[in-house]
Amino acid sequence: MEVVEEGKVKIFLERFRKYKGPGKREPGFYNPTLEIDRDINVLFCQYIANKGAKYFLDGLASTGIRGIRIAKEVGGDIEVDINDINSKAHELIKKNMRENNVNANALNENLCILLHKKRYDYIDIDPYGSPIPFIPCIFKGIRRKAYASITATDTATLCGVYKKACIRKYHAIPLRLQAVKEMGMRILLGYIAKQSASYDFAFKPMLSFSYSHFFRIYGYFEKGARKANENIAKIGWIYWDNGWKVSKLDELPTINYAGPLWIGELHDVELVKKLKEYLEERNFKRKKELEKYIDLFLEETELPPMYYESSYVAKDLKVKQPKLNKIIEKLKEEGFEAGRNHFDFNSFKTNAPYEKIKRVFV
Ligand SMILES: C[S@@+](CC[C@H](N)C(=O)[O-])C[C@H]1O[C@@H](n2cnc3c(N)ncnc32)[C@H](O)[C@@H]1O
């Protein structure tokens, strides 16, 4: 067996593989690329534990690393269930719990069946590929006010590489122009919000993280038809009409549009500020990189939906691409809001009209 170390835990695996993408499906699957997200996961769970969340579920656990890290690294009076349908994974989870001396419950169930039997304050859904099969199950297994984190690695579908698959699975039309990552994230958020509304839950994204080959959403769910109705105002369309534009669900654009998708905020500012504060006290291996991301989450959260890729604008105008800092500086000098974002390090968000944006490029 091989051992990996993350945060405060040591995890035993059959075989360590240094995946660059989604990786191979096998019992005891472990992808080192997601360590940065598992760090965020610990900080997020600390935040919600401080707000009173008590019952935590790592629903698709594989080696058990997420649940074991929660049990070991999150302080407070919490109970953690660590579940996987695969019996080899279940044995591995029990071993990893023993090796790390954590007090948690190892379960060996189909997640959706488990969620019909037990209710949680927090559910972690970290599947291979798309989270779609598990999303309706969330609403059976959460309390009236609860949290969930959801991973999607079918980002090519969400970002519109496979348009028909995106429409079929996520019931949204994608647009492949620029800013495809934020578009894909908003399609996923929109899907979760619409599913939530069907089950009379309102959904609020608290952190919407795009990294490498995956998207990860941390969100809050609250039961109530009125709140779910209000939530529908955050579903709409994004379209390109000489710059990015946003419209409501009942205002269907006529050209270059994507949706229905999420047109509301991507992150919760209070959470992001707390993540920054909590991170200072931790010794994560990826701390520096995570700090950079948290600063970007804060920067983009104040800015309008969608970003402009510098290379796209430069190509459109047939000019050389200016430095990102210069573009942002000039837009701000002209009195507009402008800043970086975490989806694409060579792009910017702004409330300036496209004609003004073009002027700072020439
Ligand atoms: C991508 S892996 C989880 C990775 C893990 N969370 C981590 O951070 O390393 C997905 C896991 O879900 C399990 N799984 C798939 N379908 C399931 C189901 N219906 N119920 C419970 N577990 C399931 C698989 O056996 C697999 O171990």
mmCIF file with all atom_site columns, all heavy atoms in Angstrom, residues 123-146:
data_model
loop_
_atom_site.group_PDB
_atom_site.id
_atom_site.type_symbol
_atom_site.label_atom_id
_atom_site.label_alt_id
_atom_site.label_comp_id
_atom_site.label_asym_id
_atom_site.label_entity_id
_atom_site.label_seq_id
_atom_site.pdbx_PDB_ins_code
_atom_site.Cartn_x
_atom_site.Cartn_y
_atom_site.Cartn_z
_atom_site.occupancy
_atom_site.B_iso_or_equiv
_atom_site.pdbx_formal_charge
_atom_site.auth_seq_id
_atom_site.auth_comp_id
_atom_site.auth_asym_id
_atom_site.auth_atom_id
_atom_site.pdbx_PDB_model_num
ATOM 1   N N   . ILE A 1 123 ? -23.773 17.844 3.311   1.00 0.00 ? 123 ILE A N   1
ATOM 2   C CA  . ILE A 1 123 ? -23.531 16.652 2.485   1.00 0.00 ? 123 ILE A CA  1
ATOM 3   C C   . ILE A 1 123 ? -22.478 16.972 1.430   1.00 0.00 ? 123 ILE A C   1
ATOM 4   O O   . ILE A 1 123 ? -22.588 17.982 0.721   1.00 0.00 ? 123 ILE A O   1
ATOM 5   C CB  . ILE A 1 123 ? -24.829 16.198 1.766   1.00 0.00 ? 123 ILE A CB  1
ATOM 6   C CG1 . ILE A 1 123 ? -25.933 15.904 2.786   1.00 0.00 ? 123 ILE A CG1 1
ATOM 7   C CG2 . ILE A 1 123 ? -24.570 14.986 0.890   1.00 0.00 ? 123 ILE A CG2 1
ATOM 8   C CD1 . ILE A 1 123 ? -27.281 15.590 2.145   1.00 0.00 ? 123 ILE A CD1 1
ATOM 9   N N   . ASP A 1 124 ? -21.491 16.112 1.327   1.00 0.00 ? 124 ASP A N   1
ATOM 10  C CA  . ASP A 1 124 ? -20.460 16.266 0.308   1.00 0.00 ? 124 ASP A CA  1
ATOM 11  C C   . ASP A 1 124 ? -20.743 15.298 -0.839  1.00 0.00 ? 124 ASP A C   1
ATOM 12  O O   . ASP A 1 124 ? -20.823 14.089 -0.628  1.00 0.00 ? 124 ASP A O   1
ATOM 13  C CB  . ASP A 1 124 ? -19.086 15.955 0.927   1.00 0.00 ? 124 ASP A CB  1
ATOM 14  C CG  . ASP A 1 124 ? -17.954 16.302 -0.025  1.00 0.00 ? 124 ASP A CG  1
ATOM 15  O OD1 . ASP A 1 124 ? -18.036 15.970 -1.219  1.00 0.00 ? 124 ASP A OD1 1
ATOM 16  O OD2 . ASP A 1 124 ? -16.969 16.902 0.434   1.00 0.00 ? 124 ASP A OD2 1
ATOM 17  N N   . ILE A 1 125 ? -20.890 15.857 -2.036  1.00 0.00 ? 125 ILE A N   1
ATOM 18  C CA  . ILE A 1 125 ? -21.170 15.042 -3.231  1.00 0.00 ? 125 ILE A CA  1
ATOM 19  C C   . ILE A 1 125 ? -19.974 15.198 -4.167  1.00 0.00 ? 125 ILE A C   1
ATOM 20  O O   . ILE A 1 125 ? -19.799 16.246 -4.806  1.00 0.00 ? 125 ILE A O   1
ATOM 21  C CB  . ILE A 1 125 ? -22.442 15.554 -3.959  1.00 0.00 ? 125 ILE A CB  1
ATOM 22  C CG1 . ILE A 1 125 ? -23.623 15.707 -3.007  1.00 0.00 ? 125 ILE A CG1 1
ATOM 23  C CG2 . ILE A 1 125 ? -22.758 14.699 -5.187  1.00 0.00 ? 125 ILE A CG2 1
ATOM 24  C CD1 . ILE A 1 125 ? -24.470 14.497 -2.822  1.00 0.00 ? 125 ILE A CD1 1
ATOM 25  N N   . ASP A 1 126 ? -19.142 14.183 -4.221  1.00 0.00 ? 126 ASP A N   1
ATOM 26  C CA  . ASP A 1 126 ? -17.897 14.285 -5.007  1.00 0.00 ? 126 ASP A CA  1
ATOM 27  C C   . ASP A 1 126 ? -17.817 13.070 -5.957  1.00 0.00 ? 126 ASP A C   1
ATOM 28  O O   . ASP A 1 126 ? -17.064 12.131 -5.710  1.00 0.00 ? 126 ASP A O   1
ATOM 29  C CB  . ASP A 1 126 ? -16.706 14.307 -4.030  1.00 0.00 ? 126 ASP A CB  1
ATOM 30  C CG  . ASP A 1 126 ? -15.378 14.486 -4.734  1.00 0.00 ? 126 ASP A CG  1
ATOM 31  O OD1 . ASP A 1 126 ? -15.344 15.167 -5.772  1.00 0.00 ? 126 ASP A OD1 1
ATOM 32  O OD2 . ASP A 1 126 ? -14.362 13.938 -4.255  1.00 0.00 ? 126 ASP A OD2 1
ATOM 33  N N   . PRO A 1 127 ? -18.617 13.106 -7.033  1.00 0.00 ? 127 PRO A N   1
ATOM 34  C CA  . PRO A 1 127 ? -18.730 11.911 -7.890  1.00 0.00 ? 127 PRO A CA  1
ATOM 35  C C   . PRO A 1 127 ? -17.656 11.864 -8.979  1.00 0.00 ? 127 PRO A C   1
ATOM 36  O O   . PRO A 1 127 ? -16.895 12.819 -9.171  1.00 0.00 ? 127 PRO A O   1
ATOM 37  C CB  . PRO A 1 127 ? -20.090 12.130 -8.547  1.00 0.00 ? 127 PRO A CB  1
ATOM 38  C CG  . PRO A 1 127 ? -20.184 13.621 -8.679  1.00 0.00 ? 127 PRO A CG  1
ATOM 39  C CD  . PRO A 1 127 ? -19.437 14.207 -7.506  1.00 0.00 ? 127 PRO A CD  1
ATOM 40  N N   . TYR A 1 128 ? -17.625 10.765 -9.686  1.00 0.00 ? 128 TYR A N   1
ATOM 41  C CA  . TYR A 1 128 ? -16.909 10.720 -10.957 1.00 0.00 ? 128 TYR A CA  1
ATOM 42  C C   . TYR A 1 128 ? -17.821 11.426 -11.955 1.00 0.00 ? 128 TYR A C   1
ATOM 43  O O   . TYR A 1 128 ? -19.005 11.106 -12.050 1.00 0.00 ? 128 TYR A O   1
ATOM 44  C CB  . TYR A 1 128 ? -16.766 9.274  -11.439 1.00 0.00 ? 128 TYR A CB  1
ATOM 45  C CG  . TYR A 1 128 ? -15.922 8.375  -10.581 1.00 0.00 ? 128 TYR A CG  1
ATOM 46  C CD1 . TYR A 1 128 ? -16.451 7.190  -10.070 1.00 0.00 ? 128 TYR A CD1 1
ATOM 47  C CD2 . TYR A 1 128 ? -14.582 8.670  -10.331 1.00 0.00 ? 128 TYR A CD2 1
ATOM 48  C CE1 . TYR A 1 128 ? -15.667 6.324  -9.321  1.00 0.00 ? 128 TYR A CE1 1
ATOM 49  C CE2 . TYR A 1 128 ? -13.796 7.811  -9.573  1.00 0.00 ? 128 TYR A CE2 1
ATOM 50  C CZ  . TYR A 1 128 ? -14.340 6.646  -9.068  1.00 0.00 ? 128 TYR A CZ  1
ATOM 51  O OH  . TYR A 1 128 ? -13.573 5.791  -8.334  1.00 0.00 ? 128 TYR A OH  1
ATOM 52  N N   . GLY A 1 129 ? -17.307 12.378 -12.710 1.00 0.00 ? 129 GLY A N   1
ATOM 53  C CA  . GLY A 1 129 ? -18.106 13.007 -13.780 1.00 0.00 ? 129 GLY A CA  1
ATOM 54  C C   . GLY A 1 129 ? -19.176 13.936 -13.253 1.00 0.00 ? 129 GLY A C   1
ATOM 55  O O   . GLY A 1 129 ? -18.911 14.798 -12.414 1.00 0.00 ? 129 GLY A O   1
ATOM 56  N N   . SER A 1 130 ? -20.399 13.704 -13.730 1.00 0.00 ? 130 SER A N   1
ATOM 57  C CA  . SER A 1 130 ? -21.494 14.641 -13.423 1.00 0.00 ? 130 SER A CA  1
ATOM 58  C C   . SER A 1 130 ? -22.176 14.330 -12.082 1.00 0.00 ? 130 SER A C   1
ATOM 59  O O   . SER A 1 130 ? -22.419 13.169 -11.758 1.00 0.00 ? 130 SER A O   1
ATOM 60  C CB  . SER A 1 130 ? -22.535 14.548 -14.542 1.00 0.00 ? 130 SER A CB  1
ATOM 61  O OG  . SER A 1 130 ? -23.682 15.265 -14.173 1.00 0.00 ? 130 SER A OG  1
ATOM 62  N N   . PRO A 1 131 ? -22.564 15.367 -11.337 1.00 0.00 ? 131 PRO A N   1
ATOM 63  C CA  . PRO A 1 131 ? -23.284 15.141 -10.071 1.00 0.00 ? 131 PRO A CA  1
ATOM 64  C C   . PRO A 1 131 ? -24.786 14.924 -10.275 1.00 0.00 ? 131 PRO A C   1
ATOM 65  O O   . PRO A 1 131 ? -25.505 14.672 -9.307  1.00 0.00 ? 131 PRO A O   1
ATOM 66  C CB  . PRO A 1 131 ? -23.042 16.446 -9.319  1.00 0.00 ? 131 PRO A CB  1
ATOM 67  C CG  . PRO A 1 131 ? -22.922 17.485 -10.392 1.00 0.00 ? 131 PRO A CG  1
ATOM 68  C CD  . PRO A 1 131 ? -22.288 16.798 -11.571 1.00 0.00 ? 131 PRO A CD  1
ATOM 69  N N   . ILE A 1 132 ? -25.272 15.005 -11.529 1.00 0.00 ? 132 ILE A N   1
ATOM 70  C CA  . ILE A 1 132 ? -26.721 14.980 -11.779 1.00 0.00 ? 132 ILE A CA  1
ATOM 71  C C   . ILE A 1 132 ? -27.468 13.841 -11.065 1.00 0.00 ? 132 ILE A C   1
ATOM 72  O O   . ILE A 1 132 ? -28.491 14.093 -10.434 1.00 0.00 ? 132 ILE A O   1
ATOM 73  C CB  . ILE A 1 132 ? -27.014 14.972 -13.297 1.00 0.00 ? 132 ILE A CB  1
ATOM 74  C CG1 . ILE A 1 132 ? -26.756 16.372 -13.840 1.00 0.00 ? 132 ILE A CG1 1
ATOM 75  C CG2 . ILE A 1 132 ? -28.466 14.578 -13.593 1.00 0.00 ? 132 ILE A CG2 1
ATOM 76  C CD1 . ILE A 1 132 ? -26.974 16.526 -15.311 1.00 0.00 ? 132 ILE A CD1 1
ATOM 77  N N   . PRO A 1 133 ? -26.971 12.581 -11.102 1.00 0.00 ? 133 PRO A N   1
ATOM 78  C CA  . PRO A 1 133 ? -27.768 11.515 -10.466 1.00 0.00 ? 133 PRO A CA  1
ATOM 79  C C   . PRO A 1 133 ? -27.987 11.731 -8.970  1.00 0.00 ? 133 PRO A C   1
ATOM 80  O O   . PRO A 1 133 ? -28.921 11.168 -8.399  1.00 0.00 ? 133 PRO A O   1
ATOM 81  C CB  . PRO A 1 133 ? -26.916 10.246 -10.684 1.00 0.00 ? 133 PRO A CB  1
ATOM 82  C CG  . PRO A 1 133 ? -25.929 10.588 -11.732 1.00 0.00 ? 133 PRO A CG  1
ATOM 83  C CD  . PRO A 1 133 ? -25.743 12.076 -11.716 1.00 0.00 ? 133 PRO A CD  1
ATOM 84  N N   . PHE A 1 134 ? -27.138 12.514 -8.332  1.00 0.00 ? 134 PHE A N   1
ATOM 85  C CA  . PHE A 1 134 ? -27.220 12.658 -6.875  1.00 0.00 ? 134 PHE A CA  1
ATOM 86  C C   . PHE A 1 134 ? -27.973 13.914 -6.425  1.00 0.00 ? 134 PHE A C   1
ATOM 87  O O   . PHE A 1 134 ? -28.329 14.031 -5.260  1.00 0.00 ? 134 PHE A O   1
ATOM 88  C CB  . PHE A 1 134 ? -25.811 12.658 -6.267  1.00 0.00 ? 134 PHE A CB  1
ATOM 89  C CG  . PHE A 1 134 ? -25.048 11.404 -6.619  1.00 0.00 ? 134 PHE A CG  1
ATOM 90  C CD1 . PHE A 1 134 ? -24.030 11.426 -7.563  1.00 0.00 ? 134 PHE A CD1 1
ATOM 91  C CD2 . PHE A 1 134 ? -25.384 10.193 -6.041  1.00 0.00 ? 134 PHE A CD2 1
ATOM 92  C CE1 . PHE A 1 134 ? -23.352 10.258 -7.906  1.00 0.00 ? 134 PHE A CE1 1
ATOM 93  C CE2 . PHE A 1 134 ? -24.717 9.025  -6.376  1.00 0.00 ? 134 PHE A CE2 1
ATOM 94  C CZ  . PHE A 1 134 ? -23.695 9.059  -7.309  1.00 0.00 ? 134 PHE A CZ  1
ATOM 95  N N   . ILE A 1 135 ? -28.175 14.857 -7.344  1.00 0.00 ? 135 ILE A N   1
ATOM 96  C CA  . ILE A 1 135 ? -28.745 16.137 -6.910  1.00 0.00 ? 135 ILE A CA  1
ATOM 97  C C   . ILE A 1 135 ? -30.166 15.990 -6.328  1.00 0.00 ? 135 ILE A C   1
ATOM 98  O O   . ILE A 1 135 ? -30.423 16.488 -5.224  1.00 0.00 ? 135 ILE A O   1
ATOM 99  C CB  . ILE A 1 135 ? -28.629 17.210 -8.016  1.00 0.00 ? 135 ILE A CB  1
ATOM 100 C CG1 . ILE A 1 135 ? -27.133 17.561 -8.130  1.00 0.00 ? 135 ILE A CG1 1
ATOM 101 C CG2 . ILE A 1 135 ? -29.445 18.471 -7.688  1.00 0.00 ? 135 ILE A CG2 1
ATOM 102 C CD1 . ILE A 1 135 ? -26.759 18.492 -9.220  1.00 0.00 ? 135 ILE A CD1 1
ATOM 103 N N   . PRO A 1 136 ? -31.095 15.259 -6.977  1.00 0.00 ? 136 PRO A N   1
ATOM 104 C CA  . PRO A 1 136 ? -32.435 15.150 -6.355  1.00 0.00 ? 136 PRO A CA  1
ATOM 105 C C   . PRO A 1 136 ? -32.383 14.479 -4.986  1.00 0.00 ? 136 PRO A C   1
ATOM 106 O O   . PRO A 1 136 ? -33.226 14.773 -4.131  1.00 0.00 ? 136 PRO A O   1
ATOM 107 C CB  . PRO A 1 136 ? -33.222 14.282 -7.345  1.00 0.00 ? 136 PRO A CB  1
ATOM 108 C CG  . PRO A 1 136 ? -32.451 14.308 -8.609  1.00 0.00 ? 136 PRO A CG  1
ATOM 109 C CD  . PRO A 1 136 ? -31.013 14.540 -8.254  1.00 0.00 ? 136 PRO A CD  1
ATOM 110 N N   . CYS A 1 137 ? -31.394 13.614 -4.771  1.00 0.00 ? 137 CYS A N   1
ATOM 111 C CA  . CYS A 1 137 ? -31.304 12.892 -3.477  1.00 0.00 ? 137 CYS A CA  1
ATOM 112 C C   . CYS A 1 137 ? -30.959 13.847 -2.334  1.00 0.00 ? 137 CYS A C   1
ATOM 113 O O   . CYS A 1 137 ? -31.331 13.597 -1.179  1.00 0.00 ? 137 CYS A O   1
ATOM 114 C CB  . CYS A 1 137 ? -30.244 11.795 -3.544  1.00 0.00 ? 137 CYS A CB  1
ATOM 115 S SG  . CYS A 1 137 ? -30.426 10.744 -4.986  1.00 0.00 ? 137 CYS A SG  1
ATOM 116 N N   . ILE A 1 138 ? -30.253 14.928 -2.662  1.00 0.00 ? 138 ILE A N   1
ATOM 117 C CA  . ILE A 1 138 ? -29.841 15.886 -1.618  1.00 0.00 ? 138 ILE A CA  1
ATOM 118 C C   . ILE A 1 138 ? -31.059 16.341 -0.816  1.00 0.00 ? 138 ILE A C   1
ATOM 119 O O   . ILE A 1 138 ? -31.025 16.415 0.415   1.00 0.00 ? 138 ILE A O   1
ATOM 120 C CB  . ILE A 1 138 ? -29.160 17.135 -2.247  1.00 0.00 ? 138 ILE A CB  1
ATOM 121 C CG1 . ILE A 1 138 ? -27.850 16.756 -2.935  1.00 0.00 ? 138 ILE A CG1 1
ATOM 122 C CG2 . ILE A 1 138 ? -28.925 18.227 -1.205  1.00 0.00 ? 138 ILE A CG2 1
ATOM 123 C CD1 . ILE A 1 138 ? -27.168 17.925 -3.639  1.00 0.00 ? 138 ILE A CD1 1
ATOM 124 N N   . PHE A 1 139 ? -32.173 16.603 -1.542  1.00 0.00 ? 139 PHE A N   1
ATOM 125 C CA  . PHE A 1 139 ? -33.335 17.231 -0.882  1.00 0.00 ? 139 PHE A CA  1
ATOM 126 C C   . PHE A 1 139 ? -34.069 16.298 0.073   1.00 0.00 ? 139 PHE A C   1
ATOM 127 O O   . PHE A 1 139 ? -34.854 16.745 0.893   1.00 0.00 ? 139 PHE A O   1
ATOM 128 C CB  . PHE A 1 139 ? -34.264 17.839 -1.950  1.00 0.00 ? 139 PHE A CB  1
ATOM 129 C CG  . PHE A 1 139 ? -33.483 18.730 -2.872  1.00 0.00 ? 139 PHE A CG  1
ATOM 130 C CD1 . PHE A 1 139 ? -33.147 18.320 -4.151  1.00 0.00 ? 139 PHE A CD1 1
ATOM 131 C CD2 . PHE A 1 139 ? -33.005 19.950 -2.411  1.00 0.00 ? 139 PHE A CD2 1
ATOM 132 C CE1 . PHE A 1 139 ? -32.373 19.113 -4.971  1.00 0.00 ? 139 PHE A CE1 1
ATOM 133 C CE2 . PHE A 1 139 ? -32.221 20.759 -3.222  1.00 0.00 ? 139 PHE A CE2 1
ATOM 134 C CZ  . PHE A 1 139 ? -31.900 20.341 -4.515  1.00 0.00 ? 139 PHE A CZ  1
ATOM 135 N N   . LYS A 1 140 ? -33.790 15.006 -0.055  1.00 0.00 ? 140 LYS A N   1
ATOM 136 C CA  . LYS A 1 140 ? -34.367 14.046 0.898   1.00 0.00 ? 140 LYS A CA  1
ATOM 137 C C   . LYS A 1 140 ? -33.518 14.031 2.173   1.00 0.00 ? 140 LYS A C   1
ATOM 138 O O   . LYS A 1 140 ? -34.024 13.780 3.262   1.00 0.00 ? 140 LYS A O   1
ATOM 139 C CB  . LYS A 1 140 ? -34.345 12.624 0.300   1.00 0.00 ? 140 LYS A CB  1
ATOM 140 C CG  . LYS A 1 140 ? -35.332 12.437 -0.801  1.00 0.00 ? 140 LYS A CG  1
ATOM 141 C CD  . LYS A 1 140 ? -36.729 12.294 -0.224  1.00 0.00 ? 140 LYS A CD  1
ATOM 142 C CE  . LYS A 1 140 ? -37.754 12.421 -1.333  1.00 0.00 ? 140 LYS A CE  1
ATOM 143 N NZ  . LYS A 1 140 ? -39.003 13.015 -0.878  1.00 0.00 ? 140 LYS A NZ  1
ATOM 144 N N   . GLY A 1 141 ? -32.222 14.262 2.015   1.00 0.00 ? 141 GLY A N   1
ATOM 145 C CA  . GLY A 1 141 ? -31.301 14.019 3.120   1.00 0.00 ? 141 GLY A CA  1
ATOM 146 C C   . GLY A 1 141 ? -30.794 15.257 3.842   1.00 0.00 ? 141 GLY A C   1
ATOM 147 O O   . GLY A 1 141 ? -29.882 15.154 4.659   1.00 0.00 ? 141 GLY A O   1
ATOM 148 N N   . ILE A 1 142 ? -31.370 16.425 3.505   1.00 0.00 ? 142 ILE A N   1
ATOM 149 C CA  . ILE A 1 142 ? -30.924 17.619 4.248   1.00 0.00 ? 142 ILE A CA  1
ATOM 150 C C   . ILE A 1 142 ? -32.033 18.121 5.159   1.00 0.00 ? 142 ILE A C   1
ATOM 151 O O   . ILE A 1 142 ? -33.211 17.908 4.909   1.00 0.00 ? 142 ILE A O   1
ATOM 152 C CB  . ILE A 1 142 ? -30.438 18.782 3.331   1.00 0.00 ? 142 ILE A CB  1
ATOM 153 C CG1 . ILE A 1 142 ? -31.453 19.106 2.229   1.00 0.00 ? 142 ILE A CG1 1
ATOM 154 C CG2 . ILE A 1 142 ? -29.056 18.504 2.792   1.00 0.00 ? 142 ILE A CG2 1
ATOM 155 C CD1 . ILE A 1 142 ? -31.086 20.329 1.400   1.00 0.00 ? 142 ILE A CD1 1
ATOM 156 N N   . ARG A 1 143 ? -31.599 18.830 6.196   1.00 0.00 ? 143 ARG A N   1
ATOM 157 C CA  . ARG A 1 143 ? -32.568 19.460 7.099   1.00 0.00 ? 143 ARG A CA  1
ATOM 158 C C   . ARG A 1 143 ? -33.141 20.710 6.422   1.00 0.00 ? 143 ARG A C   1
ATOM 159 O O   . ARG A 1 143 ? -32.739 21.041 5.316   1.00 0.00 ? 143 ARG A O   1
ATOM 160 C CB  . ARG A 1 143 ? -31.844 19.824 8.397   1.00 0.00 ? 143 ARG A CB  1
ATOM 161 C CG  . ARG A 1 143 ? -31.535 18.575 9.195   1.00 0.00 ? 143 ARG A CG  1
ATOM 162 C CD  . ARG A 1 143 ? -30.396 18.786 10.172  1.00 0.00 ? 143 ARG A CD  1
ATOM 163 N NE  . ARG A 1 143 ? -30.119 17.508 10.800  1.00 0.00 ? 143 ARG A NE  1
ATOM 164 C CZ  . ARG A 1 143 ? -30.735 17.088 11.908  1.00 0.00 ? 143 ARG A CZ  1
ATOM 165 N NH1 . ARG A 1 143 ? -31.602 17.843 12.536  1.00 0.00 ? 143 ARG A NH1 1
ATOM 166 N NH2 . ARG A 1 143 ? -30.459 15.896 12.407  1.00 0.00 ? 143 ARG A NH2 1
ATOM 167 N N   . ARG A 1 144 ? -34.003 21.433 7.114   1.00 0.00 ? 144 ARG A N   1
ATOM 168 C CA  . ARG A 1 144 ? -34.671 22.605 6.500   1.00 0.00 ? 144 ARG A CA  1
ATOM 169 C C   . ARG A 1 144 ? -33.671 23.678 6.099   1.00 0.00 ? 144 ARG A C   1
ATOM 170 O O   . ARG A 1 144 ? -33.863 24.407 5.144   1.00 0.00 ? 144 ARG A O   1
ATOM 171 C CB  . ARG A 1 144 ? -35.702 23.187 7.465   1.00 0.00 ? 144 ARG A CB  1
ATOM 172 C CG  . ARG A 1 144 ? -36.874 22.271 7.735   1.00 0.00 ? 144 ARG A CG  1
ATOM 173 C CD  . ARG A 1 144 ? -37.959 22.973 8.512   1.00 0.00 ? 144 ARG A CD  1
ATOM 174 N NE  . ARG A 1 144 ? -38.611 24.013 7.721   1.00 0.00 ? 144 ARG A NE  1
ATOM 175 C CZ  . ARG A 1 144 ? -39.562 23.775 6.827   1.00 0.00 ? 144 ARG A CZ  1
ATOM 176 N NH1 . ARG A 1 144 ? -39.978 22.546 6.624   1.00 0.00 ? 144 ARG A NH1 1
ATOM 177 N NH2 . ARG A 1 144 ? -40.109 24.762 6.144   1.00 0.00 ? 144 ARG A NH2 1
ATOM 178 N N   . LYS A 1 145 ? -32.591 23.779 6.884   1.00 0.00 ? 145 LYS A N   1
ATOM 179 C CA  . LYS A 1 145 ? -31.510 24.710 6.532   1.00 0.00 ? 145 LYS A CA  1
ATOM 180 C C   . LYS A 1 145 ? -30.241 23.878 6.537   1.00 0.00 ? 145 LYS A C   1
ATOM 181 O O   . LYS A 1 145 ? -29.906 23.298 7.577   1.00 0.00 ? 145 LYS A O   1
ATOM 182 C CB  . LYS A 1 145 ? -31.390 25.837 7.552   1.00 0.00 ? 145 LYS A CB  1
ATOM 183 C CG  . LYS A 1 145 ? -32.596 26.744 7.578   1.00 0.00 ? 145 LYS A CG  1
ATOM 184 C CD  . LYS A 1 145 ? -32.437 27.842 8.602   1.00 0.00 ? 145 LYS A CD  1
ATOM 185 C CE  . LYS A 1 145 ? -33.678 28.732 8.587   1.00 0.00 ? 145 LYS A CE  1
ATOM 186 N NZ  . LYS A 1 145 ? -33.580 29.859 9.485   1.00 0.00 ? 145 LYS A NZ  1
ATOM 187 N N   . ALA A 1 146 ? -29.567 23.798 5.419   1.00 0.00 ? 146 ALA A N   1
ATOM 188 C CA  . ALA A 1 146 ? -28.403 22.895 5.358   1.00 0.00 ? 146 ALA A CA  1
ATOM 189 C C   . ALA A 1 146 ? -27.435 23.346 4.266   1.00 0.00 ? 146 ALA A C   1
ATOM 190 O O   . ALA A 1 146 ? -27.729 24.284 3.501   1.00 0.00 ? 146 ALA A O   1
ATOM 191 C CB  . ALA A 1 146 ? -28.873 21.470 5.088   1.00 0.00 ? 146 ALA A CB  1
#
